[in-house]
Amino acid sequence: MLTRTLVLAAALCAVPFTSVLAQPAMTVDPDRLTETVRTLASDVFEGRAPGTRGEERTLGYLIARFEALGLEPAGTDGGWLQKVPLLHTRLGTPERLGFASPKGAIDPVLAQDIYLSTIRPDDAARIADAPVVFVGYGVKAPERGWDDFKGADLKGKVAVFLINDPDFAAKPGEPAAGKFGDRTMTYYGRWTYKFEEAARQGAVAALIVHNAAGVGYGWNVVISPGGENYDIVRPAEQLTSLKLQGWLSAEMSARLFAAAGLDLAKLEVAARAPGFRPVELKGVTLGADIPVTPEVVDSHNVLARISGTTRPDEIVMYGAHWDAYGAGKPDAEGRIYRAGANDDALGIAGMFEIARAMKAGPAPQRSVVFGAWTAEERGLLGSEYYAANPLFPMNKTVANLGLDILQTAGAANDVVLVGRGQNTLEDDMARVAATQGRTVTPESLPERGLFYRADHFSFAKRGVPVMLLMGIAGAANLKQGGAAAGQAWIDAYTGQCYHQACDAWGPDWNLDGAVQDIELIGVIGAELANSSRWPQWKAGSEFKAIRDKAGVPRQ
């Protein structure tokens, strides 16, 4: 059995914490990781989709594991669960779907030219010849002196967006250059923001032009939900105005703009200037009549706790998501379950290992809570529901530490930091990594906005300092093969198996690097659980003011 040990005392000795308890070694066992992953990613759990039989089996398994580790339930009313009511929708075969244009009808093929879904609880998505308007990057950011809408009336219209930020493709000297962190994506670049802003502007539909470099994944990932979508159940007055939301392929986008006599490539350049104004695709309208099957399903977060001895009301939280994509069309090998062995059964396995190591030693001073979130793949919904309805106060939550996709290509000389410059947990990462003989490498693909794409973000929005370990954030400098081998692993995983049935455990997995990362974040959490220290947001972080307002101690 290949087992690595990181002695916590080595990490603690250099830190002037108010008080520290002796802790056992933070030892993570790759064999136990493998056993958990192979179980959760097996066909028994049917791809772990929320609201299915697969969820029922997953919940039972998670609760049994936490019980076996000796943890306490930390859910609602003294139980293990927090109910998360979800709206689940599925589009049927369109009765009508097409664009009218000055050059004739354009009938896109679903999943080939266009991808659509809805988060409204309607039995049909009907759009009657709505005008199409190009809104550039669709950013409304007064603090950055940027407004792509300029007061344009989008009510009843279809908004078409570019993905990422206005400065994503900007060249030096262009007006947008550096306005949004250069290659580092801000929340304005996320597709979730664009749909939210389209709804705020009153649009009836929103479509994003697909650009693999800008979004960070290919068309195969865009279409992987198969017309399904989820949202938290909302009252009628909070429902989105968007009857349909989705993506246009690059080829269909160019064709649509050309039909209106417009050059999309030139408009992309124009959209990189603050003076850009929305451009109507004259004569182009969208008509749709698509049946929708809406249902409300009760999904669940699973929460477990190790109670603190002296400050039990102060919470150090770990999180990973239990859900995956359920059943889909058979792949080339006939597999139908998109079970997310790495995304995120491996994160759950890592969380179990941290809980096991902590429970084996003296009880921590602060409470440590482990959250297994639902519906991450549907828009961070389980963690968002918890953060909006917390079972432990946000101003008493010291930090949220997330595990979501770990590299499986072997031991590394470094650890990849997601969200550089956000908070002081990155300083802890550097210090603890040094005890492992590793350095910290900032994410190599900040334009993909991974800081905004995992469950920790639900906590960051409420001011809780966060750390995320995510293997696809940048090429690890592997001990065997260096950064080139690390990049090859990312390219293979994201290009072939991300959100696909082939995200499955394989005998070629080498978990030495995952063990390093799990031990690292385990040590950081154990340190916080045995100190009076509060991590802080750094100057310039958009979340600092939220935490400052909450009035948590500054130590």
Side-chain angles (χ1 to χ4, degrees), residues 57-76:
R57 294 175 176 177
T58 302
L59 298 180
Y61 173 79
L62 297 176
I63 291 170
R65 287 293 304 275
F66 280 130
E67 283 185 318
L69 290 169
L71 272 66
E72 310 159 27
T76 305

Side-chain angles (χ1 to χ4, degrees), residues 3 22 28-29 32 36 68 101-102 127 135 180-181 207 212 215 244 252 262 282 316 322 363 447 527 532 542:
T3 303
V28 172
D29 181 354
R32 276 192 286 257
T36 299
S101 84
I127 296 175
V135 294
F180 293 83
L207 299 170
V215 70
L244 289 169
M252 176 53 64
L262 298 171
K282 293 183 179 179
V316 176
W322 63 254
E447 66 270 21
E527 289 181 351
S532 59
E542 60 265 52

